[in-house]
Amino acid sequence: MSPPRESDQQGLASWYGERFHGRRTASGERFDSQELTAAHRTLAFGTRVCVRSAVTGKVVVVRINDRGPFSHNRVIDLSQGAAEALGMVGLGIKPVELWQLEEDEDECPEMLEEGGRSYAGRKLKAPAEKANAVARKKAPVKKQARNRR
């Protein structure tokens, strides 16, 4: 088994869908919100990228066909179809890791699909575990009744 391959980029991802469906992308093709595509600032059109959600641990391969995101704090804008595959529709902006694939690669690196979840070098809890930890943190603290006599 080969050592885990470091991600090429980490950061926040957003998604866009129906509002842009049918419009021309920066590459000249028509945007289809259900295709597995994405916008990236610098990667060449046609580049295939493995995207892993740091929240759900799910992966998807997308093809770069547009420019963006235009918000400085994001690294990629995903199509609605890609966001659905990652389980992030309705979640807004979420952390992801990106791996640029070689021309002969069709899938994400094997080690990503074996359940190893990391984000920028940190081990992540499973999504349900993480949600429970957040819920515990947000739970109101019960004040103890004072015994007044």
Side-chain angles (χ1 to χ4, degrees):
M1 188 164 149
S2 59
R5 178 174 144 194
E6 292 294 319
S7 62
D8 297 317
Q9 193 173 17
Q10 306 88 29
L12 297 176
S14 54
W15 63 273
Y16 59 117
E18 290 303 315
R19 188 171 128 204
F20 297 97
H21 186 79
R23 292 188 185 180
R24 294 246 183 235
T25 64
S27 66
E29 68 183 77
R30 294 227 179 253
F31 175 65
D32 181 337
S33 63
Q34 292 306 305
E35 284 188 13
L36 301 179
T37 58
H40 193 275
R41 284 185 197 92
T42 58
L43 292 175
F45 295 135
T47 300
R48 294 168 51 79
V49 177
C50 173
V51 181
R52 178 171 61 183
S53 166
V55 175
T56 65
K58 294 180 179 182
V59 296
V60 67
V61 174
V62 297
R63 181 176 50 83
I64 303 300
N65 72 339
D66 205 359
R67 287 291 170 236
F70 297 108
S71 178
H72 73 281
N73 66 339
R74 297 182 203 153
V75 296
I76 196 165
D77 268 340
L78 302 166
S79 66
Q80 183 176 352
E84 288 171 352
L86 292 174
M88 66 177 277
V89 173
L91 297 177
I93 301 166
K94 292 297 172 195
V96 295
E97 287 180 293
L98 309 178
W99 285 263
Q100 183 175 340
L101 300 179
E102 299 296 326
E103 285 187 29
D104 62 339
E105 289 181 293
D106 293 328
E107 298 177 0
C108 291
E110 237 179 71
M111 58 91 178
L112 297 178
E113 299 189 30
E114 293 173 1
R117 295 187 177 116
S118 67
Y119 177 64
R122 295 188 308 266
K123 198 75 175 162
L124 293 179
K125 296 178 181 177
E129 234 180 280
K130 189 174 180 181
N132 289 339
V134 170
R136 283 192 301 272
K137 262 187 178 175
K138 291 183 178 179
V141 177
K142 293 181 180 177
K143 292 184 179 180
Q144 296 213 354
R146 288 180 145 176
N147 191 357
R148 295 184 183 178
R149 291 187 185 191

